[in-house]
Amino acid sequence: MIFAIFYATWWVFQDPRGIMRMYTPYVGYMVCRWLLILFIWMAYIFDYWPFKRSWLNRTHPVVKGIVLTAVCVLAMEILIKGFFMGILGRYGIAYFNPDRLRAMGLTHFYAEEYATEAIMMFAAIASWLSPSWVVACENAPWQKLEQPTRGITIAVVTFFLGTIVYFVTMHSHMAILFYPWQKYTAITPPYWESFANTVSGNFHIAWIMSCTVVVWVYESIWERYPFNLIKTDWLRRTSAFFGIIAVAFCLCFFLFYAQDLSWGLHIRGTRREMAPDWRWLHVGESAIFWLVGVLFLSFFCGNYPTKYSRPVNVFLRTLISAVIGAAVYFLYYRYAHLFLGTQKGISHPQQFPMIPMIWLINLFLVNMWFMDGWPGWKAVPKTAEELEQVEETIVAHDVKWTPSLAKGLVVGATAGVAAYFAVIAVMPWIGQIQMIK
């Protein structure tokens, strides 16, 4: 049913052959990203404030889904049109306002694409930092505040941190989109040119998207393992926050390396799949495909499997979700252009698989967070045992150091290293059968 709704809503809102045709691509990308952020703010940051828990419990899932989604859409419109375009773009930074860019001589298409790309990147950064403060930092030090004080505080703090990240990652990228480069307002060429082999901000898109994915991997299929083994609050929260970033960087550089193994070394100055700027972008795209598998396994498959030990469950879920993500990846590049109105080919300049993947993820979140999984199942009050399991997810108390645990860690590490080299060995073969011209 979700996939049918996905296709119908894609046709209405995004499909270039459909009604509203927001896939330009950056207008549609901006909408997808900001919807994701508003869903996260509604469910995770504000805990559904200003709606009362009694209303949430007694209202039909369809009504609840429509109302909560409509509130998020309204908030998104206020943020995009009111704050970014209306205030920031009109009185602060010109590239946030497409009307101002058109008045300065840019064509309608590029004015709209540049402005929406900048606004979209704020959302991309927020999609990592906002849930990280809840998942990794456990809302500390404001976890005891009531709503909306807690939600406003966390939203403001993460938005402030996101603004800093934006200006040291994407502002220089926006500055070089204009000729001549805006060297008096940004660092040009960007500082990452020397080690990322590109002046494009796609390098930052790669690791920021990886951070976004790893946050939800850690929260869902990993159930906050292994950092929830740390009993000391401040150490667990700090380790989890920076541990997510470390895992994300490992994922980011591995996916980039995998492309070199599959298609040959990247060459600066070339275009499409051989270009380093596209390959950094494709790192983020590949990570999002994995996130689809992660959330599908967590939401609709009961976080299968659950009957083994924590490390074994986590390992098997990671493997299964990666297989699901890889399957979606291959199917998308082979057939998506037939159904979604996107361009054929893996590296077409207007081929942005993150847009339909995030659109699908948004529908996952609406169904599970706003509609209680209806019609597949309905929400019921949690039992005392289930509440204990939730608490156990945050801090695990059932794991103690034993010789068998040490043996398991050694076996797990060995298996991980073996799996790494096995993947490296088969990547050139996969690359040969995957590339679609």
Side-chain angles (χ1 to χ4, degrees), residues 92-308:
I93 303 174
Y95 64 67
F96 281 105
N97 189 301
D99 293 334
R100 184 173 288 276
L101 292 180
R102 281 195 294 270
M104 295 165 64
L106 262 68
T107 64
H108 175 86
F109 176 80
Y110 283 108
E112 197 166 56
E113 292 297 281
Y114 288 174
T116 52
E117 180 184 9
I119 296 169
M120 178 275 299
M121 277 310 302
F122 258 94
I125 295 166
S127 68
W128 153 47
L129 288 173
S130 294
S132 284
W133 207 275
V134 178
V135 173
C137 300
E138 302 163 18
N139 290 315
W142 307 291
Q143 67 271 28
K144 295 182 179 179
L145 296 178
E146 298 293 329
Q147 295 289 6
T149 307
R150 185 179 71 211
I152 293 173
T153 302
I154 294 174
V156 169
V157 169
T158 54
F159 195 86
F160 168 72
L161 294 175
T163 301
I164 295 174
V165 174
Y166 175 85
F167 277 106
V168 300
T169 59
M170 291 305 298
H171 181 59
S172 291
H173 169 82
M174 298 302 300
I176 66 173
L177 294 179
F178 306 96
Y179 182 82
W181 287 0
Q182 309 299 293
K183 63 181 181 180
Y184 294 110
T185 62
I187 306 300
T188 60
Y191 63 87
W192 60 83
E193 177 189 22
S194 59
F195 54 85
N197 209 19
T198 180
V199 296
S200 172
N202 285 348
F203 165 70
H204 297 293
I205 290 177
W207 70 262
I208 290 170
M209 292 302 97
S210 297
C211 285
T212 300
V213 171
V214 173
V215 168
W216 294 109
V217 170
Y218 175 67
E219 169 72 341
S220 57
I221 62 171
W222 288 4
E223 296 181 297
R224 305 195 184 186
Y225 179 86
F227 296 107
N228 62 353
L229 301 180
I230 302 173
K231 304 300 189 296
T232 305
D233 289 343
W234 72 266
L235 183 59
R236 179 182 64 258
R237 294 162 182 165
T238 305
S239 300
F241 185 84
F242 290 103
I244 286 171
I245 298 174
V247 172
F249 267 87
C250 291
L251 174 65
C252 172
F253 285 100
F254 172 74
L255 290 174
F256 190 85
Y257 177 45
Q259 294 175 84
D260 282 353
L261 289 173
S262 300
W263 306 319
L265 291 174
H266 59 279
I267 303 172
R268 185 169 181 176
T270 55
R271 294 184 177 182
R272 304 189 65 167
E273 67 268 6
M274 299 306 294
D277 58 328
W278 179 85
R279 290 196 178 182
W280 286 120
L281 174 65
H282 197 56
V283 166
E285 293 170 342
S286 302
I288 292 295
F289 279 109
W290 182 30
L291 183 58
V292 171
V294 167
L295 295 181
F296 180 82
L297 187 66
S298 176
F299 287 165
F300 305 109
C301 300
N303 227 5
Y304 175 86
T306 59
K307 63 181 180 179
Y308 305 109

Side-chain angles (χ1 to χ4, degrees), residues 21-33:
R21 305 181 182 183
M22 291 191 295
Y23 187 102
T24 62
Y26 275 114
V27 172
Y29 199 178
M30 174 190 68
V31 170
C32 286
R33 275 290 176 184

Side-chain angles (χ1 to χ4, degrees), residues 344-358:
K344 185 178 181 180
I346 192 170
S347 58
H348 190 284
Q350 284 195 306
Q351 174 64 274
F352 281 80
M354 276 192 280
I355 303 174
M357 293 303 104
I358 295 173

